[in-house]
Amino acid sequence: MSNRVFVLNPDKTPLMPCTAKRARKMLEAGKAAIWRRYPFTIILKSEAAKQSQPLALKLDPGSKTTGMALVMEGKTGRQVVWGAELQHRGRAIRDALTSRRQLRSSRRSRKLRHRPARFLNRTKPTGWLPPSLMHRVLTVISWAKRLDRFTMLNSFSMELVSFDTQKMMNPDIQRQDYQRGTLFGTEVRPI
């Protein structure tokens, strides 16, 4: 699958994405200019007629990466026009917060002017998410808005699936068998 090129009219309204070959020919002929490198977008120098086909943005969220695909429904069926994977920075954000917390803690324990601990005087607002998860939500939303700005999206869908991995390994599992896994009865921590 090769990603198509996003096309904008001179007034920055989106048009249907075109193939890389067509975009290259328009750029060489001077009919278009490069608007953005990623996602690769060109802007036409003269107005073009709007011809639209149904475009859908499909998202598949994951813990480390989120898959995104623009799917066009045409006469020949569904066709993926553009696809990408978002790599999330969840672990890096968590590590940065941990190091910040350790630095503050070491400052309090040094023989310097006392820096009071301030971790028990804060309450989390309703709807609060950890910063690593909030980053994932905000980057997916910003990319969805960006793709909506560069294309004529008709629909938007997200795959939300939860898996029962124990049921996948053992279809006959019931009730308390969930708690009696492979490590049941073994001591994990030394006493």
Side-chain angles (χ1 to χ4, degrees):
M1 176 202 80
S2 65
N3 282 341
R4 295 212 179 175
V5 176
F6 298 138
V7 182
L8 298 176
N9 255 332
D11 61 350
K12 297 177 189 153
T13 56
L15 297 170
M16 285 301 290
C18 70
T19 60
K21 183 178 181 178
R22 179 172 287 176
R24 190 170 44 251
K25 286 186 175 184
M26 284 193 284
L27 287 169
E28 288 170 357
K31 294 180 180 178
I34 296 173
W35 179 253
R36 176 166 268 187
R37 295 276 177 198
Y38 196 83
F40 194 74
T41 309
I42 61 173
I43 187 164
L44 300 178
K45 293 187 177 178
S46 61
E47 193 76 25
K50 279 193 177 184
Q51 295 176 347
S52 67
Q53 290 178 327
L55 266 178
L57 175 62
K58 308 229 177 219
L59 295 171
D60 184 12
S63 62
K64 295 181 181 168
T65 60
T66 293
M68 300 184 305
L70 275 174
V71 179
M72 177 175 64
E73 294 193 29
K75 297 172 188 168
T76 58
R78 290 183 181 163
Q79 180 184 9
V80 176
V81 174
W82 185 85
E85 281 187 354
L86 273 177
Q87 299 285 334
H88 298 302
R89 294 182 53 244
R91 176 159 246 118
I93 290 171
R94 189 200 69 183
D95 292 344
L97 290 172
T98 303
S99 70
R100 185 175 76 177
R101 185 174 65 239
Q102 289 169 346
L103 285 169
R104 286 181 173 168
S105 174
S106 71
R107 256 187 251 139
R108 282 193 291 272
S109 65
R110 280 189 223 136
K111 292 187 175 180
L112 298 171
R113 185 171 56 86
H114 182 63
R115 181 185 176 95
R118 290 185 306 209
F119 54 86
L120 289 177
N121 66 346
R122 296 181 177 101
T123 57
K124 294 179 172 67
T126 56
W128 179 86
L129 284 174
S132 55
L133 290 178
M134 198 64 199
H135 159 76
R136 195 183 329 170
V137 169
L138 292 175
T139 52
V140 168
I141 288 172
S142 68
W143 268 97
K145 286 180 180 177
R146 188 173 299 154
L147 292 174
D148 186 34
R149 209 170 53 231
F150 295 142
T151 60
M152 296 184 286
L153 286 180
N154 291 23
S155 64
F156 170 87
S157 62
M158 183 179 283
E159 182 180 330
L160 299 174
V161 182
S162 58
F163 293 100
D164 188 353
T165 53
Q166 287 189 329
K167 192 84 164 174
M168 289 166 65
M169 290 191 296
N170 180 10
D172 301 326
I173 196 167
Q174 291 181 349
R175 296 191 184 103
Q176 72 264 21
D177 294 337
Y178 278 104
Q179 297 171 354
R180 297 181 180 173
T182 55
L183 294 176
F184 180 72
T186 61
E187 190 64 42
V188 180
R189 286 189 222 128
I191 298 174

